[in-house]
Each structure stands twice: as structure tokens, then as C-alpha cells.
Amino acid sequence: MEMASARGTSAHKKYLARTAAFMTGYTAINVAAIFGAFDDIGRVGGLALGLVVAAPVAGQIWATLALMNDSDEFMRALMAKRFIVASGLAMALATAWGFMESYGDAPHVPAWMIYPLFWALFGVVTPLIRTTR
């Protein structure tokens, strides 16, 4: 119900535009990588590419924080609570998996997987967290 009131607002429209812009860049870089565009860039190039592909992720997180900042007090508090809970759960799960890799020979999961894990958890907690208390 609360998201329905947020849709159509100036803040929500800015968020959608920012997210689309950042994720378009993110997708373009990764699609190019999948099709081999960066196969011969070497170690230094690979390190630089890692930073370049992480930049839109940072931008999208900024877009989410800007949405919170531009929202009314209730929505800001509600989104912040959801953001914090999803972040904590993602860090706890990533830490647990890392220790299982170290001590239990669990399969390796790349560290960048915490980003989609966070958003998956944000999606899970959103319908469960409906108040700011």
C-alpha cells in the first residue's frame, strides 16, 4: 500500500531513471565481458575493469539512498529499516558462507554475489517490514 502512494512521485521517477541508467551501464559491461570483449586485457586491465563494473553498482546504491532522502519521513524510515535489515542479513549469510568455505570446504562463491543477495533479501523483507517501529 505504501509503495502505491510513492509511485508517480518525483522522487520515485528520479529513482527509476537513475536505476535504469546505472543498470544499463552495468548490463552493457557484463554482456560485453560474457561475449569476450575483455578476454585479452591482462591483469591491470582486469583490475581496472573490476572497478569500472563496480561503479554502476555504487551508483545504484546511491540512487536508492537518494530515493530515501527525497521521500517523506515515513517512507524514509520504512525504507531505511528494510535496507538495514537486508544488509545485515546479507552480511551474516556471506560471512557464514565464507567460514564454511574456509573450514568446511564449501564451494567458492565470488564476493560480488553479496550485491544480488542483498537485493534478494531486500525483496524478501519488504513485505514483512511494514512499520517503522
Side-chain angles (χ1 to χ4, degrees), residues 28-49:
I29 294 166
N30 281 297
V31 167
I34 289 167
F35 286 103
F38 309 112
D39 285 355
D40 298 324
I41 61 173
R43 178 175 167 77
V44 173
L47 294 172
L49 179 61

Side-chain angles (χ1 to χ4, degrees), residues 9-43:
T9 65
S10 170
H12 190 256
K13 289 177 183 176
K14 286 179 187 176
Y15 169 76
L16 291 177
R18 290 168 177 162
T19 296
F22 288 122
M23 290 299 100
T24 297
Y26 176 82
T27 301
I29 294 166
N30 281 297
V31 167
I34 289 167
F35 286 103
F38 309 112
D39 285 355
D40 298 324
I41 61 173
R43 178 175 167 77

Side-chain angles (χ1 to χ4, degrees), residues 10 33 68 78 97 105 123 133:
S10 170
M68 287 184 210
L78 189 60
W97 192 266
D105 203 27
R133 293 184 184 194

Side-chain angles (χ1 to χ4, degrees), residues 19-90:
T19 296
F22 288 122
M23 290 299 100
T24 297
Y26 176 82
T27 301
I29 294 166
N30 281 297
V31 167
I34 289 167
F35 286 103
F38 309 112
D39 285 355
D40 298 324
I41 61 173
R43 178 175 167 77
V44 173
L47 294 172
L49 179 61
L51 294 174
V52 168
V53 78
V57 170
Q60 200 283 320
I61 291 169
W62 167 80
T64 303
L65 296 175
L67 172 62
M68 287 184 210
N69 187 54
D70 295 343
S71 296
D72 65 44
E73 184 178 315
F74 174 74
M75 285 304 299
R76 181 177 20 245
L78 189 60
M79 290 176 64
K81 186 175 181 180
R82 292 167 175 170
F83 196 93
I84 292 165
V85 169
S87 297
L89 290 171

